[in-house]
Amino acid sequence: MNTNLVVDGDQDRIKALVECMLFIDYPVQLTILNHNMDDFITNIKSRLLCENFDVSIDDDNADYHDFDGFMYLYPFPEDDLDDKEDIVNFLSPYLDQFRTALNLAIKGGFSGKILINGYYDEILNYFATKFSGKDPNTVISTGLLGKTLLLKHLLRRYFNISLSDINVSVVGNQSTNLITWSRAYIGQSPILSYLANPNNLFSTEIFAKAEEILSQNHFDEVVQMKAILMILDAIFMEKPCLASVGHVVNFHDEVTAVSEPVMLNHTGMVSTVELVLSDKENHIYLESKQEVIDIINLIVEGSREQNE
């Protein structure tokens, strides 16, 4: 029996998801809440080629009890946003749409997993956990998984080894993030030990190439789709994994949201042990947590001002 997923959000993002799932005949029944996409779905002739994938538009009579997962996809800005106020202004309309769609699903009896993908989706993860009342382990955003995948494949090519032998993550948030070099391994040995060994032919130039990946914030739909499918595989297709995804965490006396490595399986998210980083890495990581809190507070304050 196929997994039943429901998706809402930006038309172009949903179209990309549908085309991706069509191409690989992904074994899910996908229901789209965006009624503006009716013509697009009706005209997809390639559906006839699929044995496992099917897609339909919600007819307003959907039984949310039947859905295993709720997905919300929204855009990335054309240019990276450095100012927190600009980030808030960009996120606010999508947050409102997301809240409306998710509240409707919860009222309709939805009890499955929530997956969010878009710019700075750690923020929407925080609010989804807050206003849905769901177990935080069932609310997941792709966060920095896309960048982590790019990094791992770069290192795979550089060291010419299997992808499964590489353990490295990008943690933090969309604006402030870092590669956890102090916790990066090839097999059982730290990557730094390979680079420090003069008998090896490896060079520290790989650091610059890796950091370049982090500095490139332009949107790549293929990377985002691979990140989404990796999470769906782990939760619904019995392919558990360790992935750096967005989720809520405690920070001092507050709650924030960041991307960090967790286990993903059929239950949702399973937190691993607390990250032990170098002093420099930990400083940046803590900064990323506080940055999310600052943005959350700006959104909350803006909402209060509108209601007054």
Side-chain angles (χ1 to χ4, degrees):
M1 183 177 177
N2 279 5
T3 299
N4 289 316
L5 301 178
V6 60
V7 61
D8 200 1
D10 177 73
Q11 291 187 50
D12 290 335
R13 300 295 324 280
I14 296 175
K15 180 180 177 181
L17 176 70
V18 171
E19 291 174 341
C20 175
M21 290 182 166
L22 275 167
F23 185 74
I24 61 176
D25 195 11
Y26 199 63
V28 298
Q29 167 64 54
L30 184 67
T31 300
I32 298 174
L33 297 180
N34 191 325
H35 288 194
N36 294 326
M37 300 186 67
D38 195 19
D39 289 342
F40 167 70
I41 299 302
T42 301
N43 293 323
I44 297 179
K45 300 297 186 287
S46 53
R47 292 167 65 186
L48 295 172
L49 304 178
C50 292
E51 298 293 333
N52 302 301
F53 175 74
D54 199 12
V55 59
S56 61
I57 297 290
D58 170 43
D59 59 3
D60 292 325
N61 293 314
D63 185 351
Y64 284 96
H65 292 90
D66 295 336
F67 293 117
D68 303 296
F70 177 98
M71 303 174 63
Y72 185 76
L73 311 182
Y74 64 100
F76 287 73
E78 293 184 5
D79 299 311
D80 196 35
L81 306 176
D82 296 321
D83 186 77
K84 292 175 183 176
E85 291 283 358
D86 291 338
I87 294 173
V88 170
N89 292 334
F90 180 84
L91 291 178
S92 291
Y94 301 113
L95 178 59
D96 291 340
Q97 295 168 13
F98 176 50
R99 185 196 302 264
T100 300
L102 183 57
N103 282 343
L104 180 64
I106 298 296
K107 290 179 181 178
F110 174 73
S111 60
K113 313 296 191 302
I114 299 172
L115 174 58
I116 311 161
N117 174 260
Y119 179 73
Y120 230 127
D121 52 35
E122 297 92 352
I123 300 293
L124 269 68
N125 188 302
Y126 167 86
F127 283 102
T129 303
K130 184 176 182 179
F131 58 64
S132 72
K134 290 184 64 60
D135 183 342
N137 291 333
T138 64
V139 183
I140 302 163
S141 60
T142 52
L144 297 174
L145 181 54
K147 286 192 174 185
T148 297
L149 291 176
L150 288 172
L151 173 63
K152 291 185 71 173
H153 279 273
L154 172 69
L155 296 176
R156 173 186 67 82
R157 292 173 182 272
Y158 182 74
F159 290 103
N160 192 26
I161 57 172
S162 169
L163 188 66
S164 61
D165 290 327
I166 299 174
N167 184 4
V168 65
S169 298
V170 181
V171 303
N173 63 51
Q174 186 72 35
S175 299
T176 303
N177 46 65
L178 68 143
I179 300 170
T180 57
W181 288 118
S182 67
R183 309 301 298 174
Y185 288 82
I186 295 178
Q188 302 299 316
S189 301
I191 286 181
L192 296 180
S193 67
Y194 282 93
L195 297 175
N197 189 336
N199 296 321
N200 290 331
L201 299 178
F202 306 124
S203 167
T204 54
E205 68 181 9
I206 190 63
F207 289 149
K209 293 180 180 179
E211 293 296 336
E212 186 178 348
I213 288 179
L214 263 66
S215 65
Q216 295 174 348
N217 287 323
H218 62 274
F219 171 63
D220 188 316
E221 188 69 89
V222 173
V223 174
Q224 295 304 316
M225 287 300 129
K226 283 185 174 290
I228 290 171
L229 290 178
M230 183 175 177
I231 296 173
L232 294 178
D233 280 348
I235 297 174
F236 300 114
M237 305 299 162
E238 298 183 354
K239 297 179 181 179
C241 67
L242 186 69
S244 184
V245 297
H247 63 284
V248 295
V249 296
N250 293 321
F251 181 55
H252 300 318
D253 295 328
E254 299 182 89
V255 177
T256 185
V258 291
S259 290
E260 64 179 10
V262 297
M263 292 174 57
L264 297 176
N265 59 29
H266 68 283
T267 66
M269 185 190 73
V270 181
S271 297
T272 57
V273 297
E274 185 176 350
L275 278 176
V276 179
L277 305 173
S278 69
D279 290 343
K280 182 179 180 180
E281 290 172 342
N282 195 53
H283 176 77
I284 299 173
Y285 186 47
L286 295 179
E287 182 182 318
S288 73
K289 291 182 177 181
Q290 183 59 53
E291 188 174 63
V292 171
I293 290 176
D294 294 342
I295 294 172
I296 289 170
N297 289 338
L298 286 174
I299 292 174
V300 172
E301 290 170 7
S303 178
R304 286 174 182 165
E305 291 176 359
Q306 288 182 352
N307 294 330
E308 290 179 353

